[in-house]
Amino acid sequence: MHYNVSRRDFLKLCGGTAAMLGLSQAWIPQIARALEQAAKRPPVVWLSFQSCSGCFESFAKADYPDVATIVLDIISLNYQEVIMAGAGAQSEKNLADTVAAGGYITIVEGAIATGIPEAMMVGGKTSEEILGEVTANSAATIAVGTCATYGGVQAMNPNPTGAKGVGDVINTPVINIPGCPSNPDTMVSTITYYLLYKKVPKLDSKGRPKFAFSQKVHDNCQRRAHFDSGEYVEEFGSEEAAQNYCLYKMGCKGPETHSPCPLTLWNSKQNWCIGCGNGCIGCMEPDFWDEFAGFYDTLPDVPVPGFIGVKRSSDYIGSTLVTATMTGIGIHAIATAAKGRFKENDDISEGSDD
Ligand code: SF4
Ligand code: SF4
């Protein structure tokens, strides 16, 4: 197989994937071998339903370096409405042929319209019909983005089209990679995991790969020391904002959001939401459009460092915890060091992942 990247860049990708999967750098040769030996190019069908296509845009711009090229060389993207050359009957025949042959990976972007099925149709079939037909013979199903995983903005109250995530519509297992959009590194790592182990990774209770979603944004945030010290931004454009203080009082949902964003970053690892000065809006959590609105309202009842197991309001933090914060900083630093940047994945090391 020929890659349009140098060997050095290819190994860099493998190193990034190893980190995401919670593996040591000693696994790089094994990951490289698994990718190189995927010579059969497992076919992939990418279905697009109720969405803005932002997740495919995110995937196509996967970096480090030119991951899109590598992944498109490794897999055979047999059906993807945004980029496929064919159209109409020809593209629908490609899809039917792939489904008949079996052994493919299905990636779904966008919500399924179950209340008003006609709201989302392709080639004369509803989203629910297409999803059922394609996933019935699929080797693995991956839902990408918060729309495909949990319904997304379409499912926001009052949910006029009855939008649902893939896992709520089909009975076979679904790997959920939420986000608005989903992160390309997480998508690539999940596909690599599947090629490496020939099985789906361990999932959390919301169907997300544990290797990426075990920790909260708050656990690895670059502003965490300010949270622990009771130093908050209370107005955009203020001196505290310029000092990169914690955005908790500006509505940051990082304490309740499971996501590797502080570690993967975005836009070729240039920056991320909190790095840009805006709080996390919790886009990787189910129903975030309803549950976390308004986006600038302060989260209630966030546990305060130094008072493990006790809940306190944000006003209490910073005004009374002068001594407790030092304890909190120590606890957080030790806990973070103990966990490592990504959570150690014992399941992968042991090779057991039922
Ligand atoms: S509240 Fe938000 S900005 Fe503050 S430390 Fe937590 S994740 Fe970071
Ligand atoms: S930081 Fe929060 S809002 Fe931003 S992409 Fe990550 S989970 Fe979504």
Side-chain angles (χ1 to χ4, degrees), residues 32-329:
R33 209 160 38 245
L35 293 178
E36 288 169 331
Q37 287 174 355
K40 276 186 69 186
R41 300 177 73 221
V44 171
V45 169
W46 184 297
L47 301 175
S48 302
F49 297 129
Q50 289 182 302
S51 72
C52 68
S53 298
C55 290
F56 184 75
E57 182 84 4
S58 176
F59 178 76
K61 287 189 172 157
D63 69 313
Y64 215 5
D66 201 6
V67 170
T69 300
I70 293 172
V71 171
L72 294 173
D73 274 353
I74 292 168
I75 64 176
S76 172
L77 197 53
N78 286 14
Y79 185 90
Q80 209 295 327
E81 288 161 10
V82 176
I83 59 165
M84 63 188 174
Q90 183 195 350
S91 62
E92 295 312 304
K93 182 175 182 314
N94 281 352
L95 178 60
D97 290 347
T98 304
V99 170
Y104 54 92
I105 298 169
T106 303
I107 297 178
V108 186
E109 173 182 22
I112 318 305
T114 62
I116 305 178
E118 304 77 32
M120 180 65 241
M121 298 185 74
V122 180
K125 294 180 182 174
T126 68
S127 51
E128 198 166 352
E129 287 171 338
I130 298 167
L131 182 73
E133 287 174 12
V134 174
T135 57
N137 207 21
S138 179
T141 302
I142 304 173
V144 296
T146 302
C147 301
T149 51
Y150 310 125
V153 65
Q154 292 76 215
M156 186 180 181
N157 189 33
N159 192 355
T161 64
K164 289 184 178 177
V166 175
D168 289 331
V169 177
I170 63 173
N171 293 322
T172 47
V174 178
I175 305 170
N176 283 335
I177 304 178
C180 192
S182 42
N183 188 290
D185 288 1
T186 315
M187 286 191 266
V188 170
S189 297
T190 302
I191 293 170
T192 304
Y193 182 101
Y194 181 78
L195 294 176
L196 196 56
Y197 295 102
K198 307 286 188 295
K199 61 183 178 183
V200 302
K202 273 212 162 188
L203 307 177
D204 68 11
S205 61
K206 294 170 183 170
R208 303 173 291 199
K210 281 187 172 179
F211 68 76
F213 290 93
S214 291
Q215 292 182 280
K216 294 177 178 176
V217 168
H218 194 58
D219 294 331
N220 295 300
C221 180
Q222 65 202 58
R223 301 187 186 216
R224 178 59 187 267
H226 291 298
F227 174 89
D228 290 335
S229 302
E231 295 172 341
Y232 302 99
V233 177
E234 302 203 28
E235 188 181 353
F236 290 122
S238 63
E239 179 59 26
E240 290 76 16
Q243 295 286 331
N244 295 325
Y245 279 11
C246 171
L247 294 160
Y248 174 61
K249 288 190 176 181
M250 301 305 290
C252 180
K253 306 299 187 288
E256 298 290 338
T257 302
H258 291 82
S259 163
C261 288
L263 310 177
T264 55
L265 306 181
W266 288 87
N267 298 334
S268 302
K269 297 190 172 19
Q270 293 303 303
N271 212 335
W272 66 303
C273 308
I274 289 173
C276 294
N278 199 82
C280 167
I281 62 171
C283 78
M284 309 260 172
E285 293 294 338
D287 302 324
F288 82 96
W289 288 101
D290 287 325
E291 298 293 322
F292 287 155
F295 293 144
Y296 295 100
D297 292 348
T298 304
L299 266 180
D301 297 330
V302 170
V304 178
F307 285 82
I308 306 297
V310 179
K311 312 243 180 182
R312 293 287 186 275
S313 73
S314 64
D315 288 339
Y316 189 78
I317 305 169
S319 62
T320 60
L321 297 184
V322 176
T323 53
T325 48
M326 294 313 295
T327 312
I329 291 168

Side-chain angles (χ1 to χ4, degrees), residues 21-24 27 193 197 344-352:
L21 294 176
L23 301 172
S24 78
W27 279 72
Y193 182 101
Y197 295 102
E344 186 65 31
N345 196 329
D346 297 332
D347 304 317
I348 291 176
S349 315
E350 292 167 2
S352 65

Side-chain angles (χ1 to χ4, degrees), residues 11-21 25 28 64 189 342:
L11 291 176
K12 233 169 154 184
L13 160 78
C14 297
T17 300
M20 171 66 92
L21 294 176
Q25 298 296 294
I28 291 176
Y64 215 5
S189 297
F342 282 107

